[in-house]
Structure formats: C-alpha cells, structure tokens
Amino acid sequence: MAVTWQPSLLDLGEPTAIDPMLAGRRRIALDATSWLDLLPSWVHGGDALLEELTAGAPWLPQRTRQMWDSEVTEPRIVAQWPDLATLPPIVEQMRVAVSVAYGTDFDRVAVNLYRDGRDSVAWHGDRVRHTHVSPLVVTVSLGARRPFRVRPLGGGATVFDQSLGAGDLLVMGGRMQHDWQHAVPKVSRATGARMSLTFRHSGPVGAGG
Ligand SMILES: O=C(O)CCC(=O)C(=O)O
C-alpha cells in the first residue's frame, strides 16, 4: 500500500519497544463514570512498526457505510486480525501488557490507517457499547500526530483535544462509549500517515478496569 508519513527523527532505526508495566499513565476523569488513561510515548521506535503494518497487516477493502439514501466510503483503511496467533510479536506484547494492566482479555485487535489529512473518523461512540456497560477501548497511535477529540454524547463543547501519534497510548473506559463521543477530524495542513492500533475485548472487564 502506498502511504506517505514523516518518520520521527528520534524513532529512525530504533527497534520497536514498549514498557510492559505502562508506568506513568495518567487518568483523566470526564465525569463521575467515564475516564481516559493517557501514557505519552509508550511505544518507542514505532515508525518501524508503522512501516511493517503498512506492508503486512491484513487490510480489509475500504469499507462503505449507508448514510440516509447514499452509500459513502469510510475515509480510512482498516485491518483486523482474525487470528491472534498471526499478530506481529511486538503487537502481541502490547496486547498482553494491556490485558495484564487492566485485568481484561483484549482479544480483538485492529488498526486504522489515516493515509493523510483527508482521512478521519467522525464523532461516534464505539459499537462495543451495545454489548458492554463499561467497555475498555485501547488505542496506540503511531506516525504523524493528529487531533483526538472528545465531546459529550449528542454535541457540546470539546472537553479533550490532544494531538496523538508517535507511540501514545490512550485507554477509554467506564461509561465513555455510552455518554461521550470521540473523533479524529480531518486536517487541512499536509500531514503524513497516522495509525491507531486498537485493542477491544469480547468478554467482561476485569479487576484492573
Ligand atoms: O484513531 C483513533 O485514535 C480512534 C479510532 C476510533 O475511534 C475507532 O477505532 O473507533
């Protein structure tokens, strides 16, 4: 797949590595029952992983969505691993680390690729809210930084607006998928590719969540 991205000068040539203890993560309360955990630069050398995933992740054909009476193409590309045994070893290390840290078996792994500033994800709550009261959704951002925003369900002021990329870890928890929406908006400036690796769980949230 042909994508452009600006490799971080610090990342060049470094092998991809993580801190399995997730030391230094900080919890941000959105309200009494919804929260975000943020750990900047969790992944080191993430550019190598971005390159590896771009070349080898199990990309799906670009998806379409019905909007009223027309069909629109989703402005991003998605890959999903049907078999966790085929995850790249460093992604499996991430999956195990977040599973241990949150006491929850993250058994669903996907990646979103935002090829440039025209790719985006609109305001939404994740579909896991239909099956879970307090789902955890883990994202690990690689590559170019893009704004990640949070607002109350149905609109209102943005309460969280952080430029995520370059190995940042973000975990959405509590009732966030029910009561809040998140988005990665389009940007008009030239920007390289950003990826978000996402980890979700089919089973219940454990003690650490
Ligand atoms: O790319 C991101 O950080 C957000 C991804 C997202 O919202 C999703 O996968 O539902």
Side-chain angles (χ1 to χ4, degrees), residues 96-155:
V96 170
V98 293
S99 294
V100 170
Y102 289 92
T104 299
D105 179 22
F106 288 94
D107 57 349
R108 294 169 49 207
V109 184
V111 55
N112 299 298
L113 171 61
Y114 305 88
R115 293 159 292 182
D116 57 30
R118 289 167 297 187
D119 277 354
S120 61
V121 62
W123 290 112
H124 69 287
D126 281 14
R127 276 194 286 263
V128 282
R129 71 186 185 282
H130 299 307
T131 50
H132 290 77
V133 178
S134 303
L136 296 171
V137 178
V138 176
T139 68
V140 178
S141 299
L142 303 173
R145 293 193 170 279
R146 292 282 297 271
F148 178 97
R149 294 186 181 145
V150 176
R151 73 176 188 185
L153 176 71

Side-chain angles (χ1 to χ4, degrees), residues 63 76 78 110-114 121-122 124-127 137 139-141 147-148 164 170 172 177 182-184 194-198 200:
R63 299 187 301 199
R76 64 190 171 282
V78 175
V111 55
N112 299 298
L113 171 61
Y114 305 88
V121 62
H124 69 287
D126 281 14
R127 276 194 286 263
V137 178
T139 68
V140 178
S141 299
F148 178 97
L164 296 184
L170 183 87
M172 298 179 263
Q177 303 304 331
H182 58 280
V184 176
R194 170 180 177 269
M195 262 181 198
S196 57
L197 268 164
T198 64
R200 295 183 174 83

Side-chain angles (χ1 to χ4, degrees), residues 28-87:
I28 300 160
L30 296 170
D31 61 21
T33 49
S34 301
W35 51 263
L36 294 166
D37 277 354
L38 184 61
L39 176 52
S41 306
W42 182 47
V43 179
H44 296 279
D47 286 351
L49 179 60
L50 189 150
E51 209 167 344
E52 179 185 342
L53 294 176
T54 301
W59 298 108
L60 301 172
Q62 199 166 0
R63 299 187 301 199
T64 56
R65 194 163 276 212
Q66 199 65 36
M67 291 274 279
W68 307 108
D69 53 358
S70 58
E71 196 170 67
V72 294
T73 304
E74 279 185 357
R76 64 190 171 282
I77 317 265
V78 175
Q80 279 166 355
W81 279 267
D83 177 3
L84 296 179
T86 63
L87 283 175

